[in-house]
Amino acid sequence: MSRTRKTVINNVRVFNGTELTAPQTVVIDGDVIGENTDNATGVVDGKGGVLLPGFIDAHVHLHHEGHLQDLAKYGVTTALDMAMWPADKMNSLRNKPGLPSIQSAGLPVTAPGSLHSHFLPLPKEALLSGPDEAAKFVRARLDEGSDYIKLIADVPGPSQETLNAVTKAAHDKNKKVVAHASAYEPFQMALDAKADIITHAPMDQCVSSDMVNRMVANKVVSVPTLSMMEATSQRPPVSALFRLMLQPSLFMAIIRAKTGGGKQPPKYVNAKDSVKAMYDAGVPVLAGTDCHDEPNSFFDVKHGESMHHEMELLVDAGVPTVDVLRAATMLPAVHFGLEDRGVVEAGKRADLVLLSDNPIKDIKATRSIVRVWCGGIDVDGVKGAA
């Protein structure tokens, strides 16, 4: 990566949230977007390409700096992590020059005996047995530096009373709550708990009109993670199946989750249709992937590349390209309170992606990456098609 004190990017059409501007000049001044070209020490010819705000992946799982490097190479300049522990690991990945900046929920909430208690090596403090443990859990996360609180709505999983108490404790501290809910009943539970953001979309049946109306009325945001929903609808790799054979308790938990309660078998089309229903009603839909490409993972959703696939899936679900670009840039900034980014404006973070092609015409053009800047630093090894 190379540092330049002031870089002038000439002849670029800027995505302003609704359309592309006429060709213009954008200045990177240190780590922010500048206002004038005086004393520039570097010049980039944009060649009539498209300049976007850096992509914001609204649902990632980070384990090491290599994941940040992968994200940056694909134009993701901000990563919103949804479960990372211990706190030292979470905070060690913050403020890396030239790499995506992160926010994180830290340790998520689930319950003893839940699917995620079998699936993840969670410490005991994440396994809440009742609502009386909620306030202590939230205080501990905030003391560790968590930016928001993550709860996992599941069946089996935390009781409704526990979910309600966690949300109230977080809201009392002016923190947003992100709820995992990948099936119809947990989605309903997340709404009842008054979560601010619901990540994933139901796979067993499409959201109901009542759910969507409640989301609109209560200003609930969706991060549907279609990349992960698609991956979970497919056969897992052989390595993951072998892992299941060695963990019978996890295997039985998955079977219970898939067959319990008389629900329909999970199908990707239900998640896709849910996105269309939410978008049409005016629910804010954000681009997030749930990427966590670890060895022996059940699902292969890779850091960086999956963000472009997610945008393509959102278009396929019926979201117009302009709104998909908003979902990947300015909307996550708005709904996660990141006021210093998400748009190409003077004074904002110089998180930028230069494309050779027009993504409004074809969303696949987000892959035509020419240059990426994270906080004003030029990223090496970008993974564009150009």
Side-chain angles (χ1 to χ4, degrees):
M1 300 177 185
S2 58
R3 294 175 179 270
T4 302
R5 189 174 64 84
K6 180 179 279 192
T7 299
V8 173
I9 310 172
N10 289 320
N11 190 23
V12 285
R13 297 169 292 163
V14 174
F15 177 65
N16 64 10
T18 57
E19 60 185 1
L20 301 184
T21 67
Q24 62 177 272
T25 295
V26 174
V27 179
I28 297 174
D29 192 352
D31 60 357
V32 299
I33 298 171
E35 298 189 72
N36 63 73
T37 61
D38 296 347
N39 302 314
T41 55
V43 177
V44 172
D45 181 1
K47 299 181 179 179
V50 174
L51 193 67
L52 298 171
F55 299 125
I56 302 174
D57 190 330
H59 189 139
V60 306
H61 291 280
L62 301 170
H63 298 288
H64 49 72
E65 188 172 313
H67 285 159
L68 293 177
Q69 294 169 352
D70 290 339
L71 289 167
K73 290 173 182 178
Y74 283 93
V76 178
T77 58
T78 300
L80 304 179
D81 178 82
M82 291 301 159
M84 188 174 6
W85 64 92
D88 289 347
K89 175 182 173 182
M90 171 179 72
N91 292 321
S92 72
L93 294 179
R94 298 185 189 271
N95 304 315
K96 296 281 188 179
L99 291 176
S101 62
I102 75 165
Q103 290 202 341
S104 180
L107 193 65
V109 170
T110 186
S114 69
L115 173 62
H116 283 77
S117 71
H118 294 285
F119 190 74
L120 299 173
L122 289 162
K124 289 183 178 180
E125 61 183 310
L127 309 179
L128 273 58
S129 297
D132 56 320
E133 300 172 352
K136 179 181 178 181
F137 177 90
V138 170
R139 284 197 303 271
R141 302 292 74 72
L142 300 187
D143 288 345
E144 291 175 348
S146 293
D147 300 287
Y148 35 82
I149 300 300
K150 168 79 176 291
L151 53 84
I152 300 173
D154 215 343
V155 180
S159 67
Q160 186 68 62
E161 292 76 16
T162 300
L163 297 177
N164 296 352
V166 171
T167 302
K168 183 179 185 305
H171 287 169
D172 286 346
K173 298 294 184 180
N174 297 314
K175 292 295 181 181
K176 290 184 181 291
V177 172
V178 180
H180 163 108
S182 59
Y184 189 89
E185 185 176 345
F187 205 95
Q188 185 74 58
M189 294 174 73
L191 286 173
D192 290 344
K194 296 182 171 57
D196 303 288
I197 299 162
I198 302 180
T199 190
H200 308 307
M203 293 276 283
D204 51 345
Q205 62 186 95
C206 181
V207 292
S208 67
S209 58
D210 177 67
M211 284 178 170
V212 172
N213 291 339
R214 289 181 64 188
M215 294 180 79
V216 173
N218 296 325
K219 300 180 179 179
V220 179
V221 175
S222 170
V223 185
T225 67
L226 290 180
S227 293
M228 180 55 71
M229 300 297 93
E230 180 187 56
T232 59
S233 69
Q234 299 171 354
R235 184 182 179 90
V238 173
S239 59
L241 292 173
F242 182 71
R243 176 183 165 193
L244 272 180
M245 293 173 62
L246 298 177
Q247 296 179 269
S249 62
L250 173 59
F251 176 76
M252 292 307 300
I254 291 174
I255 293 299
R256 287 197 301 272
K258 287 183 176 293
T259 62
K263 301 178 182 64
Q264 297 296 319
K267 296 180 180 178
Y268 173 73
V269 67
N270 291 319
K272 177 180 173 180
D273 290 347
S274 293
V275 169
K276 176 64 171 170
M278 291 185 287
Y279 172 80
D280 286 348
V283 174
V285 175
L286 313 185
T289 65
D290 197 10
C291 56
H292 57 284
D293 50 326
E294 286 298 289
N296 299 320
S297 173
F298 286 92
F299 315 112
D300 186 22
V301 181
K302 296 188 180 300
H303 293 76
E305 188 280 333
S306 61
M307 187 60 168
H308 300 273
H309 187 53
E310 184 72 22
M311 288 187 272
E312 292 159 9
L313 291 176
L314 287 172
V315 169
D316 183 60
V319 182
T321 55
V322 167
D323 285 337
V324 170
L325 294 175
R326 289 166 55 85
T329 56
M330 59 176 50
L331 290 185
V334 168
H335 292 290
F336 279 86
L338 304 173
E339 298 178 355
D340 63 342
R341 69 198 72 188
V343 294
V344 183
E345 292 179 0
K348 302 295 185 181
R349 276 180 58 94
D351 290 341
L352 300 167
V353 179
L354 177 60
L355 308 177
S356 61
D357 301 325
N358 183 351
I360 294 179
K361 289 185 177 180
D362 182 355
I363 198 64
K364 292 182 180 179
T366 62
R367 297 177 182 268
S368 66
I369 300 174
V370 178
R371 302 281 283 271
V372 177
W373 292 266
C374 279
I377 298 177
D378 197 351
V379 175
D380 292 334
V382 297
K383 296 292 187 179

